[in-house]
Amino acid sequence: MAPRGRASNDLHESQWFRLIELWEVGHPADVIMPYQGLIVLPLAVITYKHRHSTAVKVIVRLGRRTGDQMAKTASPAA
């Protein structure tokens, strides 16, 4: 269920995750801002009781993604 305060036409969190994952395949650097939105927006809705656990879940997911991307782009030691 979406936190209170979101418009009724907003996508559910799981739908956002799926869209971000699809976009990430071809544009890995472009997914940081959408992930940030999934962190900041729930935290702003103080009546949403799961806001902290939602933010932590997204932060962990973003950390994995950026770690994976950094590992792929890191050059081998010379």
Side-chain angles (χ1 to χ4, degrees):
M1 179 180 246
R4 289 183 186 174
R6 286 191 176 178
S8 61
N9 61 350
D10 279 352
L11 295 175
H12 188 273
E13 178 183 297
S14 63
Q15 293 170 311
W16 275 114
F17 279 125
R18 182 67 183 136
L19 286 173
I20 292 170
E21 288 171 357
L22 291 171
W23 186 254
E24 185 177 23
V25 171
H27 310 276
D30 293 344
V31 300
I32 293 173
M33 286 186 65
Y35 275 128
Q36 287 175 337
L38 288 173
I39 296 166
V40 173
L41 291 176
L43 288 175
V45 182
I46 60 171
T47 56
Y48 180 46
K49 68 179 182 177
H50 302 290
R51 65 185 182 272
H52 294 107
S53 60
T54 298
V56 168
K57 180 172 66 173
V58 177
I59 290 167
V60 168
R61 193 173 211 163
L62 179 58
R64 285 187 194 139
R65 297 291 193 252
T66 53
D68 290 347
Q69 184 61 28
M70 289 173 62
K72 289 179 186 175
T73 59
S75 59

